[in-house]
Amino acid sequence: MPLILVMVGGAGFIAYNTFKANFGEPSCRATALGRSATFTPEQTANAATITAIALKRGLPARAATIANATAIVESKLRNVKFGDRDSLGLFQQRPSQGWGTEAQILDPVHATNKFYDALIKIDGYQSMAITKVAQEVQHSGFPQAYADHEDQGRILASTLAGHSPGGMGCQLDAAKVSTPAAGIAARLTAELGVPAAVEGRTVRVTGHDPQAAWAAGSWAVAYAEADGVTAITVGDRAWTRARGEDALSWHAAPKPIAPTSVTITVR
């Protein structure tokens, strides 16, 4: 009888793990500073753009933390086409308040740059409480909401900026569509500012240091769902697209490359 119970229990455990691996929505997990936060692929991709632009502009890590926390509060990190009055996009910016045209505000790169333009005008924003920054930039009626999501913003900024190597992973279904490698390379360079070359279905990136390489690799994971990315290597670590929990973390690369190098393979 005990043997039968063990067998049934073992079968149930396997069935449970199989269910977790093959059902439910695709998701991404950012892990940094001993903590984790889970987002949809769409949210993670938008956070990757927000963080990449901060790096390209040479802004401190605090700027990306504030921007990500703000977008979580304002739009749940989604590029929405609606909001209070004429508010739109990731940061719920208003055309009537000089943030740009509707089309510009719905461009995540434009919206993010406009947010940072306003942020860096605030004297001492790096050491200010995020509630005060929210009042200055967003003119929010509920600034405490930003403090509630500051930790999530910090985790996203740390993983996507390359400060927490291997901290970004996504469990995804098999790729059904793919972005041309040249298109991925162009966007990566435009957002992150790192050089990228294309060889067939592979994008090769060279960072000026290992952190920059990890920023590019993490950006590619964040966009893997939208771009049809199947595998990424950064130095001696690799991420492989899969539906199971293994895809939430990185593993030893079968073919290690230089610590400042990145390869991104598209479907």
Side-chain angles (χ1 to χ4, degrees):
M1 186 68 170
L3 178 59
I4 294 174
L5 289 174
V6 169
M7 291 175 66
V8 171
F13 178 76
I14 293 171
Y16 171 69
N17 281 330
T18 301
F19 177 84
K20 283 204 304 179
N22 295 291
F23 294 91
E25 294 297 318
S27 64
C28 298
R29 184 179 69 193
T31 301
L33 314 170
R35 297 183 294 281
S36 296
T38 301
F39 299 90
T40 67
E42 176 193 5
Q43 291 172 313
T44 309
N46 286 325
T49 291
I50 290 169
T51 305
I53 291 172
L55 291 173
K56 183 180 179 182
R57 292 178 60 141
L59 298 177
R62 176 70 173 161
T65 293
I66 293 170
N68 278 307
T70 299
I72 291 172
V73 172
E74 296 291 352
S75 67
K76 292 184 171 60
L77 271 171
R78 295 178 296 123
N79 193 27
V80 293
K81 298 180 180 180
F82 57 85
D84 179 47
R85 287 173 285 189
D86 59 339
S87 299
L88 298 165
L90 289 172
F91 300 98
Q92 288 293 278
Q93 295 158 335
R94 299 178 60 193
S96 64
Q97 300 301 308
W99 292 96
T101 65
E102 289 188 10
Q104 287 174 325
I105 291 172
L106 289 172
D107 172 9
V109 173
H110 170 90
T112 300
N113 273 309
K114 293 295 285 186
F115 178 86
Y116 288 135
D117 288 346
L119 179 66
I120 60 177
K121 291 177 183 176
I122 300 173
D123 217 16
Y125 77 87
Q126 293 184 56
S127 57
M128 287 173 59
I130 196 169
T131 52
K132 293 184 178 179
V133 177
Q135 288 283 29
E136 293 284 341
V137 179
Q138 299 293 112
H139 304 293
S140 171
F142 305 95
Q144 188 55 44
Y146 297 85
D148 294 341
H149 294 281
E150 184 172 4
D151 193 52
Q152 290 176 301
R154 185 178 295 112
I155 291 169
L156 284 169
S158 183
T159 55
L160 292 165
H163 293 298
S164 299
M168 177 57 69
C170 294
Q171 51 185 95
L172 308 171
D173 293 325
K176 296 177 182 178
V177 297
S178 62
T179 300
I184 295 173
R187 275 186 18 250
L188 200 158
T189 298
E191 294 187 12
L192 194 56
V194 294
V198 176
E199 295 177 13
R201 294 184 294 112
T202 299
V203 178
R204 299 189 183 278
V205 182
T206 303
H208 57 81
D209 59 21
Q211 181 194 325
W214 273 108
S218 299
W219 181 96
V221 173
Y223 271 102
E225 173 79 336
D227 289 337
V229 172
T230 56
I232 303 163
T233 299
V234 179
D236 61 357
R237 306 295 293 173
W239 174 85
T240 303
R241 187 188 188 107
R243 193 64 182 88
E245 291 190 0
D246 285 350
L248 292 175
S249 56
W250 293 61
H251 51 83
K255 295 182 179 181
I257 53 181
T260 57
S261 296
V262 184
T263 59
I264 304 164
T265 303
V266 188
R267 174 181 177 271

